């Protein structure tokens, strides 16, 4: 039968599981009894040629309304990649036509007899129910595997522990290979020599190799090998008394780990089940993090410096570990409710120096040259650039900035230095208002009256809406946040000096 690559990504069910349902009363009367035959969907059709309407992997149900040429009918179903044909008795036929039985045997298509009391809807409902049960089992298995792998990654020996957990979950062999196929660590029962060689071969397929111009490669690769006959030297059955024969494994896969070290995760298992790829993907992410170059002394030192600062160490002790700087402190409020929200915020800024506190605030420390932009779902306050010995003050600046952002409902507020304003700086700051004395005077009065719309309107003998319009125009021309107390102070000094 042709491959059913076009079948939708739903968990298929074995045809034998459907036949085992006593309430349906289905009976296979022709075609091969294949243990691996799987049903991906149910389709009902009374077309003389259902081929154009089949995707592959279907259990096709029909009462034979337009059945004229059984041989061509079956050949077209097989050509479309259907898994089996269910033929319903009554109202058209009291028994399954002999010609149809012979055609299914000839073309190798399983033929199921559907009794009169079983509706096609009942068959379809049973298939969807079995699929839902299969999906539930798959999700539960993947979830348990994810939890086991995460717990293994937290052990003192995380890499061997993750490989061991993966080997247990897949009931096979898991190995971490170096750039040249060198076995760095492994777990599980030893595979056959053919399987081991196959894993190493796949590792070369996904490994980008070494050198200045690594070749593009796929992220993963799979293969299947068969164990040699027992009579051949090295076969599993030829092991001598007292020896431990390697497990006969046929399903192989290799996954390239992230980073530039050329590490590969190799797997050999007796079967390839639904969810195995997802479980292996979790292991790949964990192993990539555990073996990545950025987990070296430099990043570890910076993380330690942040921890020491939080524990009260002096700047003189932490500065050598952090580096010369300057650094920026970011405070974030909000995010989602997941336990990974703080890590995600740090990742958005490219920094692993993240500290979530009990009040829901997340602090991120990053090099000052790193761009800080608004993040969806977050309210951010950003400090001015600071040297390591100034980080305590920068932390306070970020805290004030995030409070202003929250109060003014802004996504991001940056701290501004409030150094004395020189005459040239004042003139430059107010230059956008130079051609509008009314705007300058309105801004001066409004600032002197602490931002009161009514008092400014009364002092200038204009309507309060006019005051609002002029101040909004000033904010646009100056490109300043007039809700920021520091900005108001700076503009007041600029007006005084100007």
């Amino acid at each position: 039968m042709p491959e059913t690559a076009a079948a939708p990504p739903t968990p298929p069910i074995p045809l034998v599981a459907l036949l085992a349902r006593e309430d349906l009363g289905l009976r296979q009367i022709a075609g091969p009894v294949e243990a691996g035959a799987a049903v991906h969907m149910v389709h009902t059709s009374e077309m003389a040629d259902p081929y154009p309407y089949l995707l592959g992997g279907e259990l096709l149900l029909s009462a034979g309304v337009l059945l004229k040429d059984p041989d061509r009918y079956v050949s077209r179903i097989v050509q479309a990649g259907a898994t089996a044909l269910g033929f319903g008795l009554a109202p058209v036929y009291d028994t399954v036509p002999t010609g149809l039985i012979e055609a299914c045997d000839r073309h190798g298509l399983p033929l199921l007899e559907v009794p009169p009391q079983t509706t096609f809807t009942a068959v379809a409902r049973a298939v969807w129910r079995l699929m839902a049960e299969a999906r539930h089992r798959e999700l539960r298995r993947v979830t348990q595997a994810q939890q086991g792998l995460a717990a293994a990654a937290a052990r003192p020996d995380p890499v061997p522990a993750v490989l061991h957990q993966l080997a247990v979950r897949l009931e096979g062999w898991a190995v971490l290979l170096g750039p040249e196929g060198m076995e760095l660590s492994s777990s599980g029962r030893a595979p056959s020599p053919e399987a081991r060689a196959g894993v190493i071969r796949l590792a070369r397929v996904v490994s980008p190799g070494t050198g200045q111009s690594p070749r593009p490669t796929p992220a993963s690769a799979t293969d299947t090998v068969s164990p040699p006959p027992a009579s051949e030297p090295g076969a599993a059955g030829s092991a001598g008394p007292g020896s431990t024969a390697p497990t006969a494994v046929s399903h192989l896969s290799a996954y390239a780990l992230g980073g530039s070290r050329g590490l590969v995760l190799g797997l050999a298992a007796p079967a390839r089940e639904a969810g195995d790829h997802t479980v292996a993907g979790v292991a790949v992410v964990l192993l990539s993090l555990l073996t990545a170059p950025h987990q070296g002394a430099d990043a570890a030192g910076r993380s330690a410096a942040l921890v020491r600062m939080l524990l009260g160490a002096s700047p003189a002790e932490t500065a050598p570990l952090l580096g010369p700087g300057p650094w920026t402190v970011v405070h974030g409020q909000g995010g989602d409710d997941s336990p990974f929200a703080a890590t995600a915020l740090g990742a958005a800024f490219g920094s692993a120096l993240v500290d979530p506190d009990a009040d829901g605030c997340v602090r991120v420390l990053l090099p000052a040259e790193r761009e800080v932009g608004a993040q969806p779902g977050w309210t951010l306050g950003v400090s001015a650039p600071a040297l390591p010995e100034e980080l305590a003050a920068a932390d306070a600046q970020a805290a004030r900035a995030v409070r202003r952002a929250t109060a003014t409902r802004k996504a991001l507020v940056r701290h501004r230095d409030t150094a004395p304003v020189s005459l040239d700086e004042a003139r430059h700051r107010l230059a956008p208002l130079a051609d509008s004395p009314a705007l300058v005077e309105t801004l001066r009065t409004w600032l002197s009256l602490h931002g009161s719309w009514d008092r400014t309107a009364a002092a200038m003998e204009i309507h309060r809406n006019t005051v609002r319009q002029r101040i909004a125009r000033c904010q646009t021309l100056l490109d300043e946040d007039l809700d920021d107390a520091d900005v108001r102070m700076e503009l007041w000094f600029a007006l005084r000096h100007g």
Side-chain angles (χ1 to χ4, degrees), residues 162-183:
V162 169
L163 292 175
H164 172 72
Q165 186 67 213
L166 187 59
V168 170
R169 296 291 176 177
L170 301 184
E171 299 181 358
W173 181 64
V175 60
L176 182 64
L177 299 171
E180 303 300 326
M182 179 185 301
E183 185 175 319

Side-chain angles (χ1 to χ4, degrees), residues 11 138 141-142 272-277:
E138 177 186 335
R141 174 173 174 264
V142 169
R272 185 175 292 129
E273 300 180 6
D276 284 356
H277 184 71

Side-chain angles (χ1 to χ4, degrees), residues 92-185:
V92 182
Y93 292 90
D94 295 331
T95 60
V96 180
T98 303
L100 184 62
I101 296 174
E102 294 173 350
C104 287
D105 280 331
R106 188 163 48 251
H107 291 283
L109 179 68
L111 175 62
L112 311 185
E113 180 187 79
V114 183
Q117 68 272 17
T118 300
T119 64
F120 287 174
T121 301
V123 176
R125 183 184 299 147
V127 170
W128 304 137
R129 184 170 299 168
L130 289 171
M131 285 183 173
E133 293 172 356
R135 174 64 73 188
H136 178 71
R137 289 193 300 271
E138 177 186 335
L139 292 176
R140 183 171 56 186
R141 174 173 174 264
V142 169
T143 300
Q144 292 173 346
Q146 290 175 332
Q147 293 172 346
L149 290 169
R155 290 174 55 87
D157 53 344
V159 172
V162 169
L163 292 175
H164 172 72
Q165 186 67 213
L166 187 59
V168 170
R169 296 291 176 177
L170 301 184
E171 299 181 358
W173 181 64
V175 60
L176 182 64
L177 299 171
E180 303 300 326
M182 179 185 301
E183 185 175 319
L184 303 178
S185 182

Side-chain angles (χ1 to χ4, degrees), residues 36-394:
V39 176
H40 290 263
M41 69 193 85
V42 177
H43 181 69
T44 301
S45 175
E46 296 300 341
M47 302 290 294
D49 180 13
Y51 174 88
Y53 307 97
L54 300 179
L55 296 175
E58 295 94 346
L59 168 60
L60 177 63
L61 299 176
S62 175
V65 175
L66 298 178
L67 180 63
K68 304 299 182 184
D69 185 347
D71 188 79
R72 183 178 185 279
Y73 180 76
V74 172
S75 68
R76 293 286 284 172
I77 295 174
V78 172
Q79 186 179 353
T83 297
L85 171 64
F87 193 85
L89 300 181
V92 182
Y93 292 90
D94 295 331
T95 60
V96 180
T98 303
L100 184 62
I101 296 174
E102 294 173 350
C104 287
D105 280 331
R106 188 163 48 251
H107 291 283
L109 179 68
L111 175 62
L112 311 185
E113 180 187 79
V114 183
Q117 68 272 17
T118 300
T119 64
F120 287 174
T121 301
V123 176
R125 183 184 299 147
V127 170
W128 304 137
R129 184 170 299 168
L130 289 171
M131 285 183 173
E133 293 172 356
R135 174 64 73 188
H136 178 71
R137 289 193 300 271
E138 177 186 335
L139 292 176
R140 183 171 56 186
R141 174 173 174 264
V142 169
T143 300
Q144 292 173 346
Q146 290 175 332
Q147 293 172 346
L149 290 169
R155 290 174 55 87
D157 53 344
V159 172
V162 169
L163 292 175
H164 172 72
Q165 186 67 213
L166 187 59
V168 170
R169 296 291 176 177
L170 301 184
E171 299 181 358
W173 181 64
V175 60
L176 182 64
L177 299 171
E180 303 300 326
M182 179 185 301
E183 185 175 319
L184 303 178
S185 182
S186 66
S187 184
R189 295 191 62 184
S192 66
E194 292 77 18
R196 185 186 295 269
V199 169
I200 295 175
R201 183 174 61 253
L202 289 180
R204 297 193 185 101
V205 173
V206 302
S207 176
T210 58
Q212 296 181 347
S213 301
R215 56 185 175 84
T217 58
S220 64
T222 60
D223 197 4
T224 303
V225 299
S226 300
S231 60
E232 292 186 12
S238 63
S243 63
T244 302
T247 304
V249 185
S250 56
H251 296 277
L252 316 177
S253 53
Y255 300 83
L257 301 190
S260 58
R261 299 178 61 186
L263 301 181
V264 174
L265 169 64
L267 300 172
R272 185 175 292 129
E273 300 180 6
D276 284 356
H277 184 71
T278 302
V279 173
V282 174
V284 168
V285 172
L286 292 173
L287 291 172
S288 297
L289 293 172
L290 293 170
T291 60
H294 66 69
Q295 295 293 326
D298 182 60
R302 291 184 176 182
S303 298
L306 179 61
V307 172
R308 291 181 190 180
M309 278 195 301
L310 298 176
L311 294 178
S314 67
E317 296 175 22
T318 59
L321 292 171
L322 280 175
W327 297 86
T328 298
V329 180
V330 179
H331 279 214
Q333 294 278 3
D336 55 39
D337 295 330
S338 75
F340 309 108
T343 304
L345 182 62
F349 297 138
S351 175
L353 304 181
V354 180
D355 171 41
D357 63 23
D359 296 329
C361 179
V362 176
R363 292 188 286 182
V364 183
L365 184 64
L366 63 153
E369 68 269 13
R370 197 79 49 82
E371 181 65 26
V372 179
Q375 299 297 318
W378 288 94
T379 301
L380 304 177
V382 185
S383 76
L387 297 176
E389 58 270 20
E390 301 168 337
L391 285 177

